[in-house]
Amino acid sequence: MVKEDFIEKFPDVKVQKFETKTVLCRADAQRLIKEAMDSLGMGLIMMERSGRWITCFTSVKMKNALDKMVKGAKLTDPNTGNCGVIVSDKPFLMCGEFCVEVEFPENSGAYSCEYFID
């Protein structure tokens, strides 16, 4: 992934690269990323890991959207127009991006937070 992949949806996208002392397990890498995003005041769009290197694509627009994605908040599926309710307490990292568990009338599941941002 490169910055240009996100710039249309997130004009304020930034790229941060971190090098760790050792190769981190998934849980440690996620904890590090969450702490870094909190300290930077940025929202994670996507992260990639390769050995000791972690690349994060971040945005203030994403941070503002993530802050609103809490349990009980309503989201509209951009493809179907159906309204769903977030059932997870807050966004969680899965496969390098923040996701939420959403319950729609016909189904439920984990969805990328980025999916709901226009």
Side-chain angles (χ1 to χ4, degrees):
M1 298 301 249
V2 294
K3 184 177 180 176
E4 287 72 27
D5 294 331
F6 303 102
I7 204 139
E8 186 175 326
K9 192 178 240 186
F10 300 98
D12 64 335
V13 66
K14 304 279 188 270
V15 180
Q16 283 85 27
K17 292 188 178 200
F18 304 96
E19 182 180 17
T20 57
K21 290 181 181 181
T22 61
V23 176
L24 301 177
C25 69
R26 180 193 51 81
D28 289 343
Q30 287 181 348
R31 188 173 23 264
L32 174 70
I33 295 308
K34 285 179 184 178
E35 290 171 5
M37 294 305 104
D38 288 343
S39 71
L40 293 170
M42 300 291 278
L44 180 71
I45 302 168
M46 172 75 68
M47 79 166 212
E48 296 179 324
R49 294 189 312 143
S50 179
R52 296 181 316 159
W53 286 95
I54 301 172
T55 303
C56 297
F57 299 91
T58 62
S59 163
V60 172
K61 178 181 177 181
M62 185 64 161
K63 168 83 169 124
N64 294 336
L66 289 171
D67 288 345
K68 296 175 187 171
M69 293 186 184
V70 294
K71 190 172 190 168
K74 294 183 179 179
L75 296 172
T76 302
D77 186 318
N79 288 331
T80 65
N82 291 335
C83 187
V85 177
I86 297 175
V87 293
S88 52
D89 292 329
K90 59 184 180 177
F92 53 91
L93 274 172
M94 184 169 77
C95 298
E97 60 187 319
F98 275 107
C99 297
V100 286
E101 182 87 21
V102 183
E103 197 169 90
F104 287 102
E106 67 283 350
N107 62 13
S108 64
Y111 290 81
S112 167
C113 293
E114 186 265 337
Y115 176 70
F116 297 103
I117 300 171
D118 53 7

